[in-house]
Amino acid sequence: MSEDFGKLIRQARKIKGYSQRELAKILKIDFTYLSKLENNRADYAPKEDVIRGLARNLDIDEEELIYLAGRIPHQEEELLKQHYKSMPALFRRMRENPEFAKQVLQEVANTEEK
Amino acid sequence: MSEDFGKLIRQARKIKGYSQRELAKILKIDFTYLSKLENNRADYAPKEDVIRGLARNLDIDEEELIYLAGRIPHQEEELLKQHYKSMPALFRRMRENPEFAKQVLQEVANTEEK
DNA sequence: TATTTTAGCTTGAACAAACAATCAACTTAA
DNA sequence: TTAAGTTGATTGTTTGTTCAAGCTAAAATA
């Protein structure tokens, strides 16, 4: 589990003024599990549903939280398949050349008209 | 499982002149499982190891086959986490605007000096 | 002020569900 | 009559979550 995933959800929970038990109840998960998530003590990332539940109730962007957890949103799997021939290059390039990654992501962020 | 994953590995196997049993033996998987993979009858994508084994023995690019199977190579998970804030935009943009996707991927492919 | 609640949190062990692969039985073509 | 391939049922493994037990600090109570 990501180092910052736990930090982020704990912080967000506190801002919302929930105790772990309160939030866990809303999400219908065990509060001890939420504790583990906040401490990055869960061996594996939660399921997408759980992550989305967290995001919704904590006013975090759902997709962002999914990526932060090290998952890829289910709906994007199609994209991977469709572009399977060029994806490896894209990812390798972004990994090996952080400047490039920054540039591409910047570009996308800019052209986005929210 | 991807529509073309099965087709691709079956085709590649035939080119190599293997029967399902022969190839399965090399990969140390059950030949009936290989059959299912070729027919896209396996409910879930194989593990990364199995995909890599297939790719190696069938002269397919390992990463490409992983993406085609709808998975993301383990080593790339870090990248997702690192850029969790901008990834959603990138993927959404690529999904919603195939032209954009093409362009970005082209660009990467071109600047790659193999 | 010492003592007992209580509210919030953490952790290892146990468990359940989802996922990945095999087994047993069959079909077909050669 | 065997070599190749398919399929539904079953099983094994990994992943995701809960359970049982306990810790700590701050309030309440004596």
Side-chain angles (χ1 to χ4, degrees):
Chain A
M1 278 293 309
S2 154
E3 168 62 14
D4 293 329
F5 181 88
K7 270 192 193 157
L8 181 59
I9 61 174
R10 164 165 284 155
Q11 185 196 223
R13 171 176 66 81
K14 294 206 159 153
I15 289 170
K16 298 288 268 183
Y18 291 134
S19 71
Q20 287 181 347
R21 283 163 214 251
E22 284 169 341
L23 178 57
K25 186 156 203 176
I26 293 170
L27 299 176
K28 278 172 240 176
I29 61 174
D30 197 278
F31 71 94
T32 68
Y33 184 41
L34 180 54
S35 171
K36 280 179 189 173
L37 293 178
E38 287 187 357
N39 292 289
N40 305 303
R41 281 269 175 346
D43 292 350
Y44 307 97
K47 291 223 178 120
E48 194 169 315
D49 307 19
V50 174
I51 301 176
R52 286 190 187 278
L54 281 163
R56 272 189 219 106
N57 287 279
L58 296 176
D59 301 333
I60 299 172
D61 181 273
E62 295 187 28
E63 265 71 27
E64 283 187 23
L65 196 57
I66 293 173
Y67 285 105
L68 183 58
R71 289 205 184 285
I72 203 159
H74 221 68
Q75 58 176 139
E76 304 297 14
E77 279 172 21
E78 265 318 306
L79 193 73
L80 299 181
K81 290 181 192 173
Q82 274 168 34
H83 299 286
Y84 77 95
K85 271 187 177 294
S86 28
M87 277 308 200
L90 176 61
F91 273 76
R92 181 159 17 84
R93 191 76 194 292
M94 287 180 70
R95 178 159 40 75
E96 290 175 354
N97 185 345
E99 271 314 309
F100 171 80
K102 244 174 138 175
Q103 196 194 306
V104 170
L105 294 169
Q106 276 286 334
E107 208 184 306
V108 179
N110 289 340
T111 47
E112 283 248 312
E113 314 289 284
K114 287 226 171 179
Chain B
M1 279 291 311
S2 157
E3 168 63 13
D4 292 331
F5 181 88
K7 271 192 191 156
L8 181 59
I9 61 175
R10 165 165 282 154
Q11 184 196 223
R13 173 176 65 80
K14 293 206 159 152
I15 287 171
K16 297 289 267 183
Y18 291 135
S19 71
Q20 287 182 347
R21 284 164 215 252
E22 284 169 341
L23 177 57
K25 186 155 201 176
I26 294 169
L27 299 175
K28 278 173 242 176
I29 63 173
D30 197 277
F31 71 95
T32 69
Y33 184 44
L34 181 53
S35 171
K36 280 178 189 173
L37 293 178
E38 288 187 356
N39 292 289
N40 304 303
R41 281 271 177 339
D43 293 349
Y44 306 95
K47 294 225 177 115
E48 193 169 315
D49 307 17
V50 174
I51 301 176
R52 287 189 186 276
L54 280 163
R56 272 190 218 107
N57 286 278
L58 297 175
D59 301 334
I60 300 170
D61 181 273
E62 295 187 29
E63 265 72 26
E64 283 187 24
L65 196 57
I66 292 172
Y67 286 105
L68 183 57
R71 288 204 184 286
I72 205 158
H74 218 69
Q75 59 178 135
E76 305 297 11
E77 277 172 24
E78 265 317 305
L79 193 72
L80 299 181
K81 289 182 193 172
Q82 273 167 32
H83 300 286
Y84 79 95
K85 271 187 176 295
S86 29
M87 277 308 201
L90 176 61
F91 274 76
R92 181 158 18 84
R93 192 77 196 291
M94 288 181 69
R95 178 161 37 77
E96 290 174 356
N97 185 345
E99 271 315 307
F100 171 81
K102 247 174 134 173
Q103 195 196 306
V104 170
L105 295 169
Q106 275 287 332
E107 207 183 308
V108 179
N110 290 339
T111 47
E112 282 249 311
E113 315 287 288
K114 287 223 174 179

